[in-house]
mmCIF file of all heavy atoms in Angstrom:
data_model
loop_
_atom_site.group_PDB
_atom_site.id
_atom_site.type_symbol
_atom_site.label_atom_id
_atom_site.label_comp_id
_atom_site.label_asym_id
_atom_site.label_seq_id
_atom_site.Cartn_x
_atom_site.Cartn_y
_atom_site.Cartn_z
ATOM 1 N N ARG A 1 -146.878 7.046 -107.428
ATOM 2 C CA ARG A 1 -146.433 8.383 -107.816
ATOM 3 C C ARG A 1 -144.992 8.361 -108.309
ATOM 4 O O ARG A 1 -144.151 7.623 -107.786
ATOM 5 C CB ARG A 1 -146.563 9.329 -106.609
ATOM 6 C CG ARG A 1 -146.119 10.756 -106.870
ATOM 7 C CD ARG A 1 -146.360 11.625 -105.650
ATOM 8 N NE ARG A 1 -145.697 11.083 -104.465
ATOM 9 C CZ ARG A 1 -144.394 11.247 -104.214
ATOM 10 N NH1 ARG A 1 -143.625 11.896 -105.062
ATOM 11 N NH2 ARG A 1 -143.880 10.745 -103.112
ATOM 12 N N GLU A 2 -144.713 9.153 -109.316
ATOM 13 C CA GLU A 2 -143.360 9.237 -109.863
ATOM 14 C C GLU A 2 -142.377 9.695 -108.779
ATOM 15 O O GLU A 2 -142.618 10.646 -108.043
ATOM 16 C CB GLU A 2 -143.309 10.201 -111.040
ATOM 17 C CG GLU A 2 -141.949 10.263 -111.710
ATOM 18 C CD GLU A 2 -141.979 11.060 -113.004
ATOM 19 O OE1 GLU A 2 -142.990 11.735 -113.273
ATOM 20 O OE2 GLU A 2 -140.989 11.005 -113.740
ATOM 21 N N GLY A 3 -141.264 8.964 -108.666
ATOM 22 C CA GLY A 3 -140.238 9.304 -107.697
ATOM 23 C C GLY A 3 -140.500 8.818 -106.290
ATOM 24 O O GLY A 3 -139.750 9.149 -105.366
ATOM 25 N N ALA A 4 -141.539 7.999 -106.106
ATOM 26 C CA ALA A 4 -141.904 7.547 -104.762
ATOM 27 C C ALA A 4 -141.227 6.222 -104.419
ATOM 28 O O ALA A 4 -140.766 5.483 -105.288
ATOM 29 C CB ALA A 4 -143.419 7.381 -104.655
ATOM 30 N N ILE A 5 -141.170 5.942 -103.123
ATOM 31 C CA ILE A 5 -140.890 4.592 -102.626
ATOM 32 C C ILE A 5 -142.194 4.106 -102.017
ATOM 33 O O ILE A 5 -142.618 4.584 -100.958
ATOM 34 C CB ILE A 5 -139.751 4.573 -101.599
ATOM 35 C CG1 ILE A 5 -138.446 5.084 -102.227
ATOM 36 C CG2 ILE A 5 -139.555 3.161 -101.047
ATOM 37 C CD1 ILE A 5 -137.279 5.157 -101.256
ATOM 38 N N HIS A 6 -142.849 3.185 -102.690
ATOM 39 C CA HIS A 6 -144.203 2.738 -102.368
ATOM 40 C C HIS A 6 -144.137 1.252 -102.025
ATOM 41 O O HIS A 6 -143.599 0.460 -102.791
ATOM 42 C CB HIS A 6 -145.093 2.981 -103.585
ATOM 43 C CG HIS A 6 -146.554 2.754 -103.357
ATOM 44 N ND1 HIS A 6 -147.527 3.617 -103.842
ATOM 45 C CD2 HIS A 6 -147.238 1.763 -102.717
ATOM 46 C CE1 HIS A 6 -148.722 3.169 -103.501
ATOM 47 N NE2 HIS A 6 -148.567 2.033 -102.822
ATOM 48 N N SER A 7 -144.670 0.875 -100.885
ATOM 49 C CA SER A 7 -144.612 -0.525 -100.440
ATOM 50 C C SER A 7 -145.975 -1.187 -100.509
ATOM 51 O O SER A 7 -147.016 -0.542 -100.311
ATOM 52 C CB SER A 7 -144.084 -0.614 -99.001
ATOM 53 O OG SER A 7 -142.738 -0.225 -98.923
ATOM 54 N N ILE A 8 -145.945 -2.489 -100.786
ATOM 55 C CA ILE A 8 -147.137 -3.337 -100.706
ATOM 56 C C ILE A 8 -146.883 -4.363 -99.619
ATOM 57 O O ILE A 8 -145.875 -5.089 -99.661
ATOM 58 C CB ILE A 8 -147.428 -4.046 -102.040
ATOM 59 C CG1 ILE A 8 -147.675 -3.022 -103.151
ATOM 60 C CG2 ILE A 8 -148.625 -4.969 -101.900
ATOM 61 C CD1 ILE A 8 -147.896 -3.656 -104.512
ATOM 62 N N ILE A 9 -147.764 -4.424 -98.638
ATOM 63 C CA ILE A 9 -147.611 -5.386 -97.555
ATOM 64 C C ILE A 9 -148.897 -6.195 -97.418
ATOM 65 O O ILE A 9 -149.918 -5.876 -98.019
ATOM 66 C CB ILE A 9 -147.260 -4.708 -96.218
ATOM 67 C CG1 ILE A 9 -148.421 -3.842 -95.723
ATOM 68 C CG2 ILE A 9 -145.988 -3.874 -96.343
ATOM 69 C CD1 ILE A 9 -148.228 -3.300 -94.307
ATOM 70 N N GLY A 10 -148.820 -7.241 -96.606
ATOM 71 C CA GLY A 10 -149.980 -8.086 -96.354
ATOM 72 C C GLY A 10 -149.528 -9.452 -95.883
ATOM 73 O O GLY A 10 -148.375 -9.840 -96.099
ATOM 74 N N PRO A 11 -150.402 -10.207 -95.248
ATOM 75 C CA PRO A 11 -150.050 -11.549 -94.782
ATOM 76 C C PRO A 11 -149.685 -12.466 -95.957
ATOM 77 O O PRO A 11 -149.936 -12.144 -97.120
ATOM 78 C CB PRO A 11 -151.335 -12.035 -94.091
ATOM 79 C CG PRO A 11 -152.156 -10.809 -93.871
ATOM 80 C CD PRO A 11 -151.798 -9.852 -94.952
ATOM 81 N N ASN A 12 -149.106 -13.605 -95.650
ATOM 82 C CA ASN A 12 -148.814 -14.596 -96.687
ATOM 83 C C ASN A 12 -150.090 -14.957 -97.435
ATOM 84 O O ASN A 12 -151.135 -15.166 -96.820
ATOM 85 C CB ASN A 12 -148.203 -15.860 -96.067
ATOM 86 C CG ASN A 12 -146.795 -15.628 -95.548
ATOM 87 O OD1 ASN A 12 -146.088 -14.757 -96.035
ATOM 88 N ND2 ASN A 12 -146.400 -16.406 -94.552
ATOM 89 N N GLY A 13 -149.998 -15.031 -98.769
ATOM 90 C CA GLY A 13 -151.157 -15.370 -99.569
ATOM 91 C C GLY A 13 -152.079 -14.209 -99.857
ATOM 92 O O GLY A 13 -153.181 -14.407 -100.380
ATOM 93 N N ALA A 14 -151.628 -12.981 -99.553
ATOM 94 C CA ALA A 14 -152.490 -11.817 -99.750
ATOM 95 C C ALA A 14 -152.602 -11.402 -101.207
ATOM 96 O O ALA A 14 -153.484 -10.624 -101.565
ATOM 97 C CB ALA A 14 -151.979 -10.639 -98.917
ATOM 98 N N GLY A 15 -151.700 -11.890 -102.076
ATOM 99 C CA GLY A 15 -151.760 -11.554 -103.485
ATOM 100 C C GLY A 15 -150.665 -10.602 -103.949
ATOM 101 O O GLY A 15 -150.701 -10.107 -105.074
ATOM 102 N N LYS A 16 -149.670 -10.360 -103.103
ATOM 103 C CA LYS A 16 -148.643 -9.363 -103.409
ATOM 104 C C LYS A 16 -147.812 -9.749 -104.634
ATOM 105 O O LYS A 16 -147.668 -8.961 -105.585
ATOM 106 C CB LYS A 16 -147.726 -9.166 -102.192
ATOM 107 C CG LYS A 16 -148.469 -8.775 -100.922
ATOM 108 C CD LYS A 16 -147.546 -8.576 -99.748
ATOM 109 C CE LYS A 16 -146.829 -9.836 -99.311
ATOM 110 N NZ LYS A 16 -147.735 -10.880 -98.781
ATOM 111 N N THR A 17 -147.256 -10.957 -104.635
ATOM 112 C CA THR A 17 -146.433 -11.384 -105.774
ATOM 113 C C THR A 17 -147.292 -11.605 -107.011
ATOM 114 O O THR A 17 -146.852 -11.352 -108.136
ATOM 115 C CB THR A 17 -145.648 -12.662 -105.414
ATOM 116 O OG1 THR A 17 -144.747 -12.361 -104.331
ATOM 117 C CG2 THR A 17 -144.836 -13.152 -106.600
ATOM 118 N N THR A 18 -148.529 -12.054 -106.827
ATOM 119 C CA THR A 18 -149.449 -12.171 -107.967
ATOM 120 C C THR A 18 -149.644 -10.812 -108.628
ATOM 121 O O THR A 18 -149.682 -10.702 -109.865
ATOM 122 C CB THR A 18 -150.805 -12.731 -107.506
ATOM 123 O OG1 THR A 18 -150.627 -14.048 -106.973
ATOM 124 C CG2 THR A 18 -151.789 -12.807 -108.669
ATOM 125 N N PHE A 19 -149.741 -9.766 -107.824
ATOM 126 C CA PHE A 19 -149.875 -8.407 -108.364
ATOM 127 C C PHE A 19 -148.635 -8.044 -109.183
ATOM 128 O O PHE A 19 -148.755 -7.529 -110.305
ATOM 129 C CB PHE A 19 -150.081 -7.412 -107.231
ATOM 130 C CG PHE A 19 -150.247 -5.996 -107.702
ATOM 131 C CD1 PHE A 19 -151.471 -5.549 -108.179
ATOM 132 C CD2 PHE A 19 -149.183 -5.110 -107.679
ATOM 133 C CE1 PHE A 19 -151.626 -4.242 -108.635
ATOM 134 C CE2 PHE A 19 -149.324 -3.804 -108.121
ATOM 135 C CZ PHE A 19 -150.547 -3.370 -108.601
ATOM 136 N N PHE A 20 -147.454 -8.320 -108.650
ATOM 137 C CA PHE A 20 -146.213 -8.072 -109.401
ATOM 138 C C PHE A 20 -146.217 -8.832 -110.719
ATOM 139 O O PHE A 20 -145.821 -8.304 -111.765
ATOM 140 C CB PHE A 20 -145.007 -8.496 -108.572
ATOM 141 C CG PHE A 20 -144.414 -7.398 -107.724
ATOM 142 C CD1 PHE A 20 -145.180 -6.319 -107.315
ATOM 143 C CD2 PHE A 20 -143.087 -7.447 -107.313
ATOM 144 C CE1 PHE A 20 -144.641 -5.309 -106.525
ATOM 145 C CE2 PHE A 20 -142.535 -6.447 -106.541
ATOM 146 C CZ PHE A 20 -143.301 -5.376 -106.137
ATOM 147 N N ASN A 21 -146.663 -10.083 -110.692
ATOM 148 C CA ASN A 21 -146.667 -10.899 -111.902
ATOM 149 C C ASN A 21 -147.631 -10.356 -112.954
ATOM 150 O O ASN A 21 -147.390 -10.481 -114.153
ATOM 151 C CB ASN A 21 -147.018 -12.353 -111.564
ATOM 152 C CG ASN A 21 -145.883 -13.085 -110.871
ATOM 153 O OD1 ASN A 21 -144.712 -12.716 -111.016
ATOM 154 N ND2 ASN A 21 -146.211 -14.116 -110.118
ATOM 155 N N CYS A 22 -148.719 -9.755 -112.512
ATOM 156 C CA CYS A 22 -149.656 -9.125 -113.460
ATOM 157 C C CYS A 22 -149.043 -7.868 -114.066
ATOM 158 O O CYS A 22 -149.139 -7.639 -115.280
ATOM 159 C CB CYS A 22 -150.974 -8.791 -112.761
ATOM 160 S SG CYS A 22 -152.019 -10.224 -112.389
ATOM 161 N N VAL A 23 -148.401 -7.055 -113.240
ATOM 162 C CA VAL A 23 -147.802 -5.810 -113.730
ATOM 163 C C VAL A 23 -146.704 -6.098 -114.747
ATOM 164 O O VAL A 23 -146.561 -5.377 -115.740
ATOM 165 C CB VAL A 23 -147.252 -4.983 -112.550
ATOM 166 C CG1 VAL A 23 -146.400 -3.809 -113.055
ATOM 167 C CG2 VAL A 23 -148.391 -4.463 -111.681
ATOM 168 N N THR A 24 -145.935 -7.167 -114.535
ATOM 169 C CA THR A 24 -144.785 -7.455 -115.398
ATOM 170 C C THR A 24 -145.114 -8.376 -116.566
ATOM 171 O O THR A 24 -144.227 -8.743 -117.333
ATOM 172 C CB THR A 24 -143.642 -8.073 -114.574
ATOM 173 O OG1 THR A 24 -144.126 -9.199 -113.833
ATOM 174 C CG2 THR A 24 -143.072 -7.053 -113.601
ATOM 175 N N GLY A 25 -146.372 -8.774 -116.718
ATOM 176 C CA GLY A 25 -146.764 -9.557 -117.880
ATOM 177 C C GLY A 25 -146.650 -11.052 -117.734
ATOM 178 O O GLY A 25 -146.955 -11.795 -118.681
ATOM 179 N N PHE A 26 -146.221 -11.545 -116.570
ATOM 180 C CA PHE A 26 -146.148 -12.997 -116.373
ATOM 181 C C PHE A 26 -147.553 -13.595 -116.250
ATOM 182 O O PHE A 26 -147.788 -14.734 -116.639
ATOM 183 C CB PHE A 26 -145.324 -13.322 -115.126
ATOM 184 C CG PHE A 26 -143.846 -13.137 -115.317
ATOM 185 C CD1 PHE A 26 -143.229 -11.950 -114.977
ATOM 186 C CD2 PHE A 26 -143.062 -14.141 -115.867
ATOM 187 C CE1 PHE A 26 -141.874 -11.760 -115.166
ATOM 188 C CE2 PHE A 26 -141.709 -13.973 -116.059
ATOM 189 C CZ PHE A 26 -141.109 -12.772 -115.706
#
């Protein structure tokens, strides 16, 4: 949501940084 502070959590290897890399085009 616009203006939100939204967190993604999960154990190691859950896919969090992979998700960031998809959003940013890496």
Side-chain angles (χ1 to χ4, degrees):
R1 179 177 56 80
E2 184 171 11
I5 299 177
H6 188 137
S7 293
I8 299 177
I9 66 172
N12 290 333
K16 304 181 295 295
T17 297
T18 298
F19 181 81
F20 268 25
N21 286 336
C22 287
V23 170
T24 53
F26 285 94

